[in-house]
Structures are given as C-alpha cells and as structure tokens.
Amino acid sequence: MIATHSDIVLDDPTRELCAAVASGRLKPARLAIVAPGGYGKTAVLDQLALGCERGGVPTARFGEHDGAELVLVDDAHELAEPQLARLRELAENERTGLVIATRPWPRSADLNGALARLRGQLVLRPLDRQRVAALLGKERAGLAEFVHKQTGGVPGFVTRLATAIGEEPEIPARALAEFRPELDRLGQDTLLLLLAARAGSGLDADLLGGLLGRDHAGVADAVDAARATGLLAHDGALLPIAARALDALVPADRRLAVSQRLVRLQLRRAGPVLTLVRPLLGSGYTGTEAAAAFEAAAAEAADTDPALAARLLSAAVDAGRSPTAVGARWAEAAARTGDLDTALRLADQVIADPQAPERGQAALTAGTALVHRGQLARSAELYRWSATELSELYAVLCLVGTGRLDEARAVRLEPGSAQPPTLLSGAMSAMARGVLESVTGVASGALSTLVNAAEMLEPAGGSPLLPESPSALGALVGIHCGELEIAQALLERAIAAESGGRVLANRHRLLLAWIAMVRGDTELATQRLATVESDLTPRDWLFAVGLRAGLARRASDLAGLRTIWGEACEAVMRHRVDVFTLLPFGEFVVAAARLGDRDRLALHVRQAGELLHALGDPPLWSTPLHWSGLHAAIMAEQQAEAREHVAALASGADHSRYHAVVAEAAACWLNVLTGAVDPQRVEAAAKGLHGVGLWWDGARLAGQAAIRTTDRAAMVSLLDCARILQGRSSAGSATPGRTPALSERERQVAELVVAGMTYKQVGDRLFISAKTVEHHMARMRQRLGATSRSELLAQLRGILAEES
C-alpha cells in the first residue's frame, strides 16, 4: 500500500512546524514554501488546510480569504500582476497568517516583496532511499534504488512512478504519459532547453545562447525556468525519468533537430561535440555536417574509449566520409579494443590507396597488430615502410625477435629533433635499448633499462597502441634471469596503470601467472590464468596453452597433458618461433618428450636454435630453452643430447648468478642420471634453484636424486630437502586421542591414488619411485584385508573421509 504525501514528503522538523500551525500554537503563521515542481507544495498546503480545520483555525485559500486567520496561497509564481499586488498588501498585514507556496522562478518584484515579509520557511527536500522504500511498501521495497535513481527522489515523481510500477525495474508508459500536461504548459524556451539538456548540452551559456537566440542573462532565466520544473537538476542534467518522458512524448524529428542544431553550433565554435554526438549514433544522421561531427567526436573519444571512437568513425563513413580518409584512425581504435582483424583490414585499405592520407600511421597500426599475431618479420617490414621515428623503434623489437641483430643495431635509438620528447617516445627509445642490451649486454643492465622505460610510460596509461609494453618485456627478462620479484612488481604496476590498454592486459596477466608456475605455486597460477579472457590473440594464446601444459606437467597429470597437446601443436603452428616466446616453446618441448611426440616439434626446435645462434646465443634468452631441452632429453633418455644442453648452459654460466646456478643444477642432473649422486652438491644446487625463483625445479632435482641414490641416509636427507623446498613438512602427526588407520606417508599416497593418479604420477608428486608407491599400496591392502583393488580404494575413501 502506498503511503500518503504527508507521511513521506515532510521530514520531522517540518511536520512539527505544520502541527504547530494546525493547532494554533504558531499564530500568526507566516511561512514560505519555495520548491521546484514535483516537491509536494500543493500536498502540504492541503495537509495544512485539513489540520487547521480539525484544530479550529479558520483557514481559506487566497482569493476567498475574507475574515480568515490563515490564508494559503498555492502556485504564487503563476498569479497575475493585480493578484500579486493584493498578495503583497496582504503580506504587509503582520496580524494575518499567511503561507505562500511558489516555485523559485519566475519571481516578480511583488512576489519577492510578499515573501520578504514572511518569518520562516517550510523546507521540502528530495526523498532518500529509505523514504522511497516506505512509499513503495514492503512488497516492492527492493525497487527503491531504481525508483530513487530514476526520479532523483523528487516526491511527486516518486509517487507517480510508485503508483504505476509493477514488480520489475521498468518505467511503465502510463508513468511517462503523466508528464504530458507539464510539458504542454512549458514555454518554448524552457522546452528547448530541456531538449538541449537531453542532447547533452550541459549548462554551456554560449551554446545555449546560440540555440535560444538569447544573451547570457536570457540563458540564465531559461535555466532557472527549467530548474523550477523539477525536471532539471542543479548541475544541468535531466532526471532520468524526465529524459525518458521527453523521448516518449516529444516527436523524434523535433528532438533530432535540436541535437543537430547544437552540433552545428559547436562545430562552428570548434568546441567539444562528443557528448552531443554520441546520442546521434544510429539515428540516421547523415551528410557532410554529420560526418564532420562524428569524426570530431571520435577524436575526443580516441584516448579514453577506443571502442566508442571506432563506432563514431564507422558512423562518419556511413554519413559520407571516405573510408580511407579516416581508415588509419579507425584501424588504430579497432586495434586498441583487441579487434585485430578489423584493424588489419582497415589499415591495409589505407596502405593500398596511394591517395589516402596517414598511410604511414596505418602501416604502424598494421605492424603492431601483426606483432600480437606473432608475425614479427612482416611487422618489421611495415614498421620500416612507415618510416616514422616511433615505427623505427618498434622495428627494433621485431628485428631482435627474429634474429636480425645487425639491422636492429643500425636503427637510431634516440629521438631526433623533429620528434617531440614525449613520454611515449622516451619510453619506446628506452625499450628498444633494453631489448638490444638483453642480447648484447648483461641481464641486469637490460632489466634496469626496461624498468625505467616502464616507469616512464606508466602515466600514459592505456592510450598508446603498443606492440609490447616495457613492463611485459622487463618481466620476460626478469623471468629469464631469475629476478621474479622485479618481474612481478612490473606486471602488477602495469595492470594497475592499464599500460598498453586492453590489447596488452591479457599479456600482463599471463606473465604474472607464469611467475607463479615457475615458483611451483600451481594453485595461484591457475587462479591467475582464470582471469585471462577467452578470446586471445595468437601470441597470448600461445602463452595460455604453455601455462596449461606446464601446470599439467607439474601436477603429473598425463591425461590432462594429452588433452592439451593438440592445442599446443596448433598454437605452435599459428605462431612462428621468436625470442620473446621461448618460454612456452620450452614447455612444449618438455611436453613433447613426456608424450613421446618429439618429432612433432623438431622443426621448431631447430628454428629456435638457429634464431638464437643468429643473435650470438645470448645466455639470457638461450638458458631457459636449454634448461627445457635438458629435461626433454632426460625424459627421452637421450644422454648425449642432455650433455649437449649441459655444455651449452655451462658456457653461459658467467653471465649472471642465475645462469651459474642453472648451469650447476644441469651438471647435477647429468650426474644423477648416471647414478653418481653427490648429496651435498645436489642439495646445494637444489637450494640454488630455489633461491633464483625456480622452486619447483629445485624440489624436483632433490627428489629425483633421492630416488636414484643407493645411500639410505642420503635419500632421507634429499627427500627432506625436496619437501622443504616444495613447502612440505617432513614429519606427520597423529590426531590426538586416537590412532590413525594410515601413516602420514600412506595417507599421502592414498589421497593421490584415490584422486585417480597413476603410481608414476604419485611418485613424481611425492618424490618417490613408482615401485615405492606400489609397495605402500600393497601394505595397506594387506593390513586392511582388502580382496581387490576396488575394495581397497573404497576402504581408503572411507578412512580419508573419517580423518578429514
């Protein structure tokens, strides 16, 4: 049931004041009620009249007030001059009670004079959400937020909507129809101003002056008149329900004419048009003026909303603009939204047209889109054809990535005098230097340069279209040299700053997940991978599949790895090998060996080797691939190949501490394979791997060495080391008060076997042999008296459930 106005509109102090008037305690009552339309002035006067009648206070309406103690005046702003003069005379009689209700505008001299003689004011305010909910009643209280947002809490509009609304947050047509009398009573200028507000004009006095044909004073009067209706907020924005009412009740051609007039005025004065033009999308607005308006609006939206900019440029073409005239900007906007297909199609049209302007910019965009597609060689061609200083810097990335080091060195890295020293040019220059340093210098120097480039670019946010972000490159370098903390900080800051916009957001998240995987935190890596969008560019898809393969391998999930392998092969086919994608290729190399399908990647492995050789076999980029190759050789039982990788890793040991640690660990692996396990050396190597961020690799080295040693004391020590490096305690504890049915080790084995793992997978997870797992299972079966494997598994499930 809907509450009454007097229950809802008046706050407690105002209600008490009305009660004092009605009871005669406030005598003579001389009060003003000044509020815009819809605030309930008439309802309050009606409530006062009723209360005074009950309280015995003689009350009358203005014009029928002879002999009354209290005179009530409604809509004083609408009184004619003679009536206003009489009202002023009445107000000058201090013994007469008088309550005047009026809108803030218009205010004649006589009305101001009458109001000035009064002693107080009844204040009517918008309703808060709590009072809106009370007006709606319990059954529809859940619509209070919607009703309040649509009406701004204006009491009359709240009541209007509350009376008509059902159980869904929708504005019924009959609620909008009730605005027709109000709109019909509006003056021409007031209606025009409301339509202008609906079109997005705001309170621009010059723009409104051009529309209304008035000076600033006249515009101020029109704004006051519009606010007095209650439909226009103080900031010049229409209430949502008022905007809907205008759309429903004012003919579309009239609304469109006002919008077009505003756009025309704004174009003439070279003012911003985005707010005015956005509502015209899809309206059928065409012609030279429309095309210019859409194009100008797109320029305003380009930095902050590339998707909107692309829609506006499409509308400009629909309105008559040549596609190649705006194609370069349209292609860039599309690329920044991640729509690389559209970006490449549009850019290619511009490049192919000798008469098209901005061909160089189109080539820059096309080159960048192709980098995200993994076609660095073609990108380098486009960048160099573009022939801008920025595109030359981008070309360095592609030239290094494809092994063309001499060409990359020949590029001038410092911006020339013709290039303004912007944040973007400075950051890209530093990024190009960092890429070259990663191949020709030391890892720490390259990382420092890329960190500086990332920090320089941070304030630019997501506006520049980039082939790669300094943060992502810095993170790659950090992962390749064991500086995982720096890599993680770079990525987290890039995500917070939205560096590179949407097109690089997935890349930053994927690399952050990669860091978690390298550390052996598969749960965190999986969580981070889940934040990545499903619609990925080929480069991002390559990393996503590489992550999934790596996570499956670390979980000893052979079935999962087989499922992923088909996608991995497709990802490799779609993306040529380059320096910056060696991490996922390394994972695929190990997965191929684990699945016995090494021939599938033989060509790509050879290409990766040739690429690194062309760059001089830089240790920073080659070490992780050799490390993966070593493990692939171990799984394939190819000792000669394993020795080649160990030798390659040893040759780069002087590059940094990280490379020395990996080289020593590789040598230990080679010894472990031959059964020559030196426990102290293995433990030191495993801890070294853990120290440079390769937590899972360190634990696995210690665990596999423990399995292969014949010295029981060494085995125990190495297993304990493996557990510690993996974050596990070596000691189990029984539940107080009862004897567990399984030992700690038996419980670990049982959990994994019940979960569906093979003995080999369980052994890999627990750093024991498959034979030992089988031994544990046999002992549990004998002790529990199980007659079959299915019976044993059923009993183990019950025991584990009881102990959990």
Side-chain angles (χ1 to χ4, degrees):
M1 181 170 177
I2 297 175
T4 64
H5 256 292
S6 60
D7 294 330
I8 302 301
V9 173
L10 303 182
D11 56 21
D12 289 339
T14 306
R15 192 178 292 110
E16 291 175 6
L17 186 59
C18 288
V21 173
S23 66
R25 287 184 285 117
L26 182 61
K27 191 176 181 180
R30 297 176 62 80
L31 303 170
I33 308 176
V34 181
Y39 275 71
K41 298 182 294 297
T42 299
V44 173
L45 290 178
D46 291 343
Q47 181 67 19
L48 271 175
L50 183 60
C52 289
E53 181 181 346
R54 291 172 179 168
V57 177
T59 306
R61 300 286 179 162
F62 180 66
E64 304 170 355
H65 58 272
D66 291 342
E69 290 184 11
L70 178 64
V71 180
L72 305 178
V73 186
D74 198 5
D75 291 330
H77 58 283
E78 295 183 353
L79 296 177
E81 288 187 10
Q83 293 173 304
L84 285 171
R86 291 179 57 200
L87 178 61
R88 183 166 183 171
E89 291 176 4
L90 182 64
E92 289 173 353
N93 183 354
E94 296 288 341
R95 293 173 297 177
T96 301
L98 183 62
V99 178
I100 300 176
T102 182
R103 290 186 179 184
W105 188 96
R107 295 280 287 272
S108 66
D110 282 334
L111 179 55
N112 278 333
L115 293 172
R117 302 303 298 264
L118 304 180
R119 299 170 187 164
Q121 184 166 337
L122 282 170
V123 178
L124 303 181
R125 300 182 178 90
L127 307 183
D128 58 24
R129 288 166 181 78
Q130 184 177 356
R131 290 198 287 167
V132 171
L135 194 147
L136 286 165
K138 290 182 179 180
E139 293 181 356
R140 297 179 301 163
L143 297 172
E145 178 66 30
F146 172 76
V147 172
H148 186 273
K149 183 177 180 180
Q150 294 296 316
T151 62
V154 175
F157 303 158
V158 170
T159 302
R160 188 173 294 175
L161 183 52
T163 303
I165 198 168
E167 297 181 357
E168 298 296 326
E170 299 174 353
I171 301 179
R174 66 190 185 99
L176 299 176
E178 292 188 28
F179 283 89
R180 183 171 296 282
E182 294 170 55
L183 297 181
D184 289 343
R185 288 197 304 267
L186 294 177
Q188 178 69 17
D189 284 355
T190 305
L191 180 59
L192 268 179
L193 193 139
L194 292 176
L195 291 173
R198 178 69 180 111
S201 68
L203 296 178
D204 187 325
D206 290 333
L207 182 60
L208 293 174
L211 176 69
L212 302 176
R214 290 192 177 198
D215 58 17
H216 282 195
V219 170
D221 280 344
V223 170
D224 288 341
R227 284 179 176 150
T229 65
L231 304 172
L232 189 72
H234 187 76
D235 62 359
L238 276 176
L239 297 181
I241 195 170
R244 293 284 301 276
L246 288 172
D247 290 347
L249 303 175
V250 177
D253 58 344
R254 187 173 185 187
R255 288 184 278 113
L256 182 60
V258 171
S259 293
Q260 292 174 347
R261 173 68 174 155
L262 290 168
V263 168
R264 190 175 304 117
L265 290 167
Q266 200 70 329
L267 286 174
R268 287 176 184 170
R269 56 199 288 252
V273 296
L274 177 58
T275 305
L276 298 170
V277 169
R278 188 197 307 241
L280 296 176
L281 285 168
S283 67
Y285 183 31
T286 60
T288 304
E289 178 188 279
F294 286 126
E295 190 174 351
E300 294 176 42
D303 286 345
T304 57
D305 193 343
L308 176 59
R311 289 179 59 205
L312 289 163
L313 289 169
S314 176
V317 171
D318 290 342
R321 193 79 162 101
S322 166
T324 55
V326 298
R329 283 165 285 156
W330 189 359
E332 181 178 347
R336 287 181 56 207
T337 66
D339 186 358
L340 300 184
D341 288 343
T342 298
L344 286 167
R345 175 176 57 80
L346 294 170
D348 196 59
Q349 290 176 359
V350 176
I351 295 169
D353 184 355
Q355 305 302 317
E358 301 178 334
R359 296 175 77 199
Q361 182 63 34
L364 182 67
T365 297
T368 299
L370 288 174
V371 170
H372 292 282
R373 284 185 170 275
Q375 300 178 36
L376 269 63
R378 177 60 177 160
S379 294
E381 293 178 20
L382 285 161
Y383 283 145
R384 307 203 83 173
W385 185 85
S386 176
T388 66
E389 292 186 2
L390 190 60
S391 63
E392 286 288 316
L393 295 174
Y394 290 166
V396 171
L397 177 76
C398 302
L399 294 170
V400 171
T402 52
R404 296 153 66 182
L405 183 57
D406 291 339
E407 293 179 62
R409 281 173 162 163
V411 175
R412 178 179 177 177
L413 300 183
E414 297 301 326
S417 57
Q419 179 76 21
T422 62
L423 287 174
L424 178 60
S425 64
M428 293 302 99
S429 176
M431 185 174 79
R433 287 199 309 274
V435 169
L436 279 171
E437 288 170 8
S438 74
V439 175
T440 60
V442 295
S444 58
L447 185 56
S448 177
T449 301
L450 290 169
V451 168
N452 290 335
E455 291 178 347
M456 192 184 308
L457 190 62
E458 239 174 54
S463 56
L465 175 64
L466 303 175
E468 181 65 287
S469 74
S471 300
L473 277 176
L476 277 175
V477 170
I479 294 170
H480 278 75
C481 68
E483 295 289 354
L484 300 187
E485 291 295 335
I486 295 175
Q488 179 168 321
L490 273 174
L491 294 169
E492 288 173 345
R493 291 185 63 169
I495 290 170
E498 298 182 347
S499 292
R502 180 182 177 186
V503 75
L504 281 170
N506 286 323
R507 182 149 177 80
H508 295 145
R509 294 191 181 98
L510 286 165
L511 289 173
L512 203 56
W514 202 282
I515 291 171
M517 182 181 73
V518 168
R519 285 173 166 162
D521 193 342
T522 55
E523 183 177 350
L524 179 59
T526 302
Q527 290 173 358
R528 287 175 172 169
L529 180 57
T531 68
V532 175
E533 296 176 355
S534 58
D535 185 17
L536 298 175
T537 64
R539 180 175 68 177
D540 288 343
W541 189 48
L542 185 76
F543 271 84
V545 176
L547 270 165
R548 291 169 55 207
L551 290 169
R553 178 168 71 91
R554 285 161 177 79
S556 299
D557 182 4
L558 188 59
L561 194 58
R562 284 196 181 99
T563 301
I564 295 165
W565 184 237
E567 286 187 71
C569 293
E570 182 183 350
V572 169
M573 294 298 176
R574 289 178 59 187
H575 197 298
R576 292 185 61 83
V577 179
D578 65 59
V579 167
F580 310 112
T581 55
L582 292 176
L583 287 177
F585 274 108
E587 282 297 332
F588 297 147
V589 165
V590 181
R594 183 74 177 86
L595 297 173
D597 196 11
R598 301 187 75 198
D599 291 343
R600 197 90 165 262
L601 292 185
L603 173 62
H604 298 88
V605 171
R606 186 169 65 252
Q607 289 174 344
E610 293 170 353
L611 169 62
L612 290 168
H613 185 68
L615 293 172
D617 292 309
L620 176 71
W621 297 108
S622 61
T623 292
L625 191 62
H626 284 302
W627 180 251
S628 298
L630 169 64
H631 289 285
I634 291 170
M635 289 181 181
E637 298 181 351
Q638 299 291 324
Q639 289 198 18
E641 183 183 335
R643 281 193 291 272
E644 290 177 5
H645 288 297
V646 171
L649 291 168
S651 67
D654 294 337
H655 190 67
S656 72
R657 174 177 172 269
Y658 170 84
H659 295 86
V661 166
V662 173
E664 170 62 12
C668 284
W669 264 111
L670 198 58
N671 290 336
V672 166
L673 289 178
T674 62
V677 178
D678 180 341
Q680 292 182 341
R681 185 182 181 188
V682 168
E683 187 170 332
K687 289 180 178 177
L689 288 172
H690 189 277
V692 296
L694 300 177
W695 300 351
W696 184 84
D697 291 274
R700 186 166 183 270
L701 172 58
Q704 291 299 314
I707 293 171
R708 287 171 171 80
T709 184
T710 58
D711 183 336
R712 180 163 179 78
M715 179 188 71
V716 172
S717 175
L718 287 168
L719 280 176
D720 196 43
C721 174
R723 294 186 188 104
I724 291 171
L725 294 181
Q726 201 178 43
R728 289 179 175 158
S729 172
S730 60
S733 57
T735 303
R738 63 185 175 92
T739 302
L742 304 176
S743 69
E744 177 67 17
R745 172 58 81 198
E746 287 173 340
R747 185 184 61 77
Q748 292 173 349
V749 170
E751 285 178 342
L752 298 176
V753 172
V754 167
M757 287 191 179
T758 65
Y759 291 171
K760 175 70 168 62
Q761 291 171 333
V762 174
D764 288 345
R765 177 68 69 88
L766 299 178
F767 305 111
I768 58 179
S769 68
K771 202 73 177 172
T772 302
V773 175
E774 185 179 359
H775 174 68
H776 281 301
M777 292 296 289
R779 286 182 57 190
M780 286 187 282
R781 179 173 176 175
Q782 182 179 11
R783 191 166 71 252
L784 296 172
T787 59
S788 66
R789 175 178 171 82
S790 60
E791 183 182 345
L792 173 60
L793 293 178
Q795 290 192 48
L796 290 177
R797 289 190 187 96
I799 292 169
L800 292 172
E802 182 182 343
E803 290 187 352
S804 62

